[in-house]
Amino acid sequence: MPMGEHDTEGPSHSGVEVRAASVAVPSQAGPYATEFQLSVGEGKILQFKKKGQIAAVAELVWNALDANATLVDVELRREWDAITQIVVTDNGDGMTPERARTAFAGYGETWKTGKTHTEGNTRIMHGRNGEGRLFALALGDRLTWESVAEVDGSLVGVWISGNADHSTVWQAQKTEPARDRTGTTVRIDVPQGKTLRRLERDDAAANLTAKLAFYLRAYPDVCVTFDGKRLDPSEIIVGEPIDLPLRLPDDYAHEDPAPVVTFVEWNQRMSERRMLICNADGIALYEQGREWSDSIVSFTPYLRSNLFNDTSVEDLHGLPMSHGGLLDAAAQAVQEHLSLRGAQISAAVVRQLKDEGIYPYSGPPASGTQAIERQTFDVVVTVARDALAAKGPARRLSVKLIQTALESSPGDLHTILEKVLALSDEDRRHLKNLLDRTDLTHVIEAATTVTNRLNIIGALRKIFADPHLRKDFREVDQLHPMIAKNLWLFGDDWNMAMSEIGLTNVLQAHLEEQLGGDVVLETQLDTVTQPDGRTGRVDILMFRSRRDDSSTERLVIELKRPSVKVGKKELDQIKGYARAIVDDPQYSGVDCKWRFYLITYEYSDKILRDIRQKDKPEGLADDHHDYEVWVKSWGEILNTAERKLLFFQKQLNYEATDDRVTQHLRESYSRYIPEALAEDGRNGAATSGNNTGSETSGTVHP
């Protein structure tokens, strides 16, 4: 049968049909009809069902090439876009009935054993382990080989079949030749419901090409086609393969030639990126180690050595034990070259953006964080280089979106890459792994958090220091929501604390008796209004809880109006309130630590002795094993928070100027600031200015 013609029916014969192991086999009179059982158990055979799909196809192609085929065609037959059958056809030497029985009967036995070249010394031999045919089980459940060979000047045919349900039982039968020249056709029936995703991927042909690359380059007269496409390494190789020298252990000093890793770079993404163990000629024998994950360079490393020429499958599995030093040296060489190539590609991308005038940075970085941000941008834009628009406003916008996300909200970066640039899932996954490994985005997120915190400290100072702004600053709908978004002011450990609904009733039960009617729980602020409809001026009680497996902590904050100067009366009230809450039957005997904060703009000198006690931190007015009562002014709270940020502020070289904090308020807290500040921003007045500087962020990270 000529190359490319496929007969789905079995060969025609006289006689009755014989059924063995649930597989229909044409009968054959005489001694040639044979059913045999493999020499190993079913478990050993069925392990091949777990082999990689591309690797399985490669083994079938290698079998054809080892039979001197110059034409090998892998056809994927489909129904309703699902692969139902795989047919591999070649024009090789074929199999005689005797060779077929010998090859298929014995596991690990093959006529190729001890041979380095094909029949007639034509080409390099690949297989010598007697396993290649069993890889077909990874693709389907019903397998048939129809082969024609030449014996004493005449053509003879053979038909071999097997079934995954009876994996150790095979049939071989001599037939009339089904074609007028030598060759073999392998048919694999894919069961309904089995998906062959690796073969359906856009990069399936490229992945198969990578496994055959050195062979196809060495023998340009060989043609292998996959799903209608000829496999041509020259179409996907970038430049020429590079041999990477290895820093070898002393054990390999006398190897001639010395083992080498050949680094082959591709112009398209490969989903299979494990190191290929090869003989010295680059014939791939085995896949070793982890998948190389890199979002910039697409490549395959080939570890080549004569040491692997006669290595059995079992020995290949044991390479980490027998050649661990060699594998480590190879991995190190690949990693070093990968870093070099990534830097070269990134530099070329950045240079192109600069030539186009759309690179978003100029001059040297002003701080270490800006340098890291720029480095991260270079990595991201390099990974996304093929997803960027080719030219025009769309290309400029894409570059600007990446830069903006890194500057203010790195968490939005993956959304931009997915929704705007349509970067593939695989590329985004590799990029995430790369950025997670380098912690670049985490540094930028931390820097953004620090600058936002410096801005909010400066903003509160600005409001409290200005009598007019302080007078207009309403607690209920302005101060309170700003503080609620920035609980780190009372310690970073409270930043992610949650409101506890069950606490409301207990706090309310003691509220009026202990603190008076002017204090309102934060959950009830929407009921507080003035005659003009605006929210009123009251004291606010905030409350948060956090718990782990062993304990619970609760924070209660009374925010006093700026007009209230806290004295003995207010201090006694918060102490009484704290004791009433702790002694409430609902919490009596519960393992819980309470912290009560009385926060004010100003407090009286009459309580200084209470809040500045010997051997106690300043502000701690009542200290017991299950609760603490603190009195703090806004100035003290802001000073403490700012000191904690001082180190990071120096590293960032960032100053929360009046312009910056005002702009930050307008962008992030426009609903919560006095109207005078908001109006200045809307009208463009010069009161606060509009120059925010490059570090200003418009996103709040409480």
Side-chain angles (χ1 to χ4, degrees), residues 76-153:
L76 307 181
R77 296 184 176 180
R78 297 175 173 86
E79 292 182 8
W80 301 102
D81 294 329
I83 299 175
T84 57
Q85 190 179 57
I86 300 172
V87 181
V88 182
T89 308
D90 71 66
N91 67 344
D93 294 337
M95 289 183 288
T96 65
E98 291 74 15
R99 178 171 285 181
R101 294 188 191 98
T102 302
F104 279 83
Y107 172 80
E109 299 177 6
T110 174
W111 63 273
K112 305 176 187 180
T113 301
K115 296 181 178 293
T116 60
H117 287 72
T118 60
E119 295 284 353
N121 204 36
T122 305
R123 298 198 298 268
I124 295 172
M125 181 81 72
H126 171 269
R128 56 182 60 87
N129 292 303
E131 292 186 337
R133 64 189 180 277
L134 298 176
F135 275 75
L137 291 169
L139 304 174
D141 58 352
R142 293 170 59 92
L143 320 173
T144 61
W145 281 257
E146 185 180 15
S147 189
V148 174
E150 184 176 341
V151 178
D152 298 330

Side-chain angles (χ1 to χ4, degrees), residues 26-47:
S27 75
Q28 169 74 27
Y32 297 101
T34 305
E35 177 180 290
F36 50 84
Q37 187 159 349
L38 296 187
S39 57
V40 295
E42 187 175 41
K44 184 73 171 179
I45 303 302
L46 291 181
Q47 70 175 339

Side-chain angles (χ1 to χ4, degrees), residues 17 43 112 129 157 345 563 610 620 689:
E17 190 176 69
K112 305 176 187 180
N129 292 303
I345 294 172
S563 59
D610 295 282
L620 183 57

Side-chain angles (χ1 to χ4, degrees), residues 159-206:
W159 177 277
I160 308 104
S161 65
N163 191 310
D165 292 336
H166 303 276
S167 60
T168 61
V169 179
W170 294 73
Q171 298 83 32
Q173 182 176 351
K174 183 178 180 180
T175 68
E176 292 297 322
R179 58 168 75 182
D180 59 4
R181 57 184 176 181
T182 62
T184 301
T185 297
V186 183
R187 294 184 179 86
I188 304 167
D189 292 329
V190 181
Q192 186 175 6
K194 182 179 179 64
T195 57
L196 299 176
R197 292 189 179 90
R198 290 290 185 178
L199 302 188
E200 294 281 17
R201 292 175 59 102
D202 293 338
D203 64 356

Side-chain angles (χ1 to χ4, degrees), residues 290-297 299 335 338-339 375 379 383 429-443:
R290 62 177 177 85
E291 293 275 356
W292 284 91
S293 177
D294 186 85
S295 54
I296 295 179
V297 187
F299 69 100
Q335 187 60 60
L338 198 55
S339 299
Q375 180 185 357
V379 170
V383 173
R429 183 174 66 252
H430 289 315
L431 176 60
K432 180 181 183 302
N433 291 338
L434 177 62
L435 296 181
D436 286 348
R437 190 165 64 243
T438 57
D439 280 338
L440 294 176
T441 53
H442 299 299
V443 172

Side-chain angles (χ1 to χ4, degrees), residues 225-345:
T225 58
F226 174 82
D227 202 21
K229 176 179 175 58
R230 179 171 181 172
L231 306 186
D232 185 356
S234 64
E235 292 183 353
I236 60 174
I237 286 181
V238 176
E240 284 296 317
I242 299 175
D243 287 341
L244 306 180
L246 306 181
R247 291 190 286 273
L248 293 169
D250 294 339
D251 297 347
Y252 302 90
H254 301 293
E255 290 296 327
D256 187 22
V260 65
V261 168
T262 300
F263 188 98
V264 178
E265 188 174 334
W266 313 109
N267 61 15
Q268 64 183 75
R269 178 68 59 193
M270 298 282 194
S271 58
E272 299 193 4
R273 289 174 296 274
R274 298 173 72 186
M275 181 177 289
L276 295 181
I277 305 299
C278 311
N279 61 20
D281 296 304
I283 304 302
L285 306 172
Y286 184 68
E287 293 180 328
Q288 169 62 37
R290 62 177 177 85
E291 293 275 356
W292 284 91
S293 177
D294 186 85
S295 54
I296 295 179
V297 187
S298 181
F299 69 100
T300 301
Y302 300 79
L303 176 56
R304 302 164 56 195
S305 174
N306 281 326
L307 290 167
F308 308 128
N309 285 357
D310 299 313
T311 306
S312 67
V313 173
E314 287 73 15
D315 289 339
L316 288 171
H317 285 307
L319 284 182
M321 296 293 292
S322 59
H323 293 287
L326 175 58
L327 296 179
D328 290 343
Q332 184 177 359
V334 171
Q335 187 60 60
E336 290 174 357
H337 185 71
L338 198 55
S339 299
L340 174 63
R341 279 297 295 143
Q344 291 172 341
I345 294 172

Side-chain angles (χ1 to χ4, degrees), residues 337-355:
H337 185 71
L338 198 55
S339 299
L340 174 63
R341 279 297 295 143
Q344 291 172 341
I345 294 172
S346 185
V349 171
V350 169
R351 186 165 53 250
Q352 181 179 352
L353 294 179
K354 288 181 177 179
D355 291 343

Side-chain angles (χ1 to χ4, degrees), residues 594-635:
W594 296 79
R595 289 183 177 85
F596 294 84
Y597 276 83
L598 180 60
I599 309 299
T600 179
Y601 176 70
E602 186 179 10
Y603 50 73
S604 169
D605 293 344
K606 296 180 179 179
I607 64 170
L608 289 180
R609 288 198 178 106
D610 295 282
I611 62 176
R612 295 179 182 173
Q613 302 179 42
K614 184 179 180 180
D615 299 328
K616 291 185 181 296
E618 188 168 321
L620 183 57
D622 201 5
D623 185 15
H624 292 267
H625 75 281
D626 51 358
Y627 78 93
E628 298 171 351
V629 175
W630 296 77
V631 178
K632 291 284 187 180
S633 70
W634 280 116

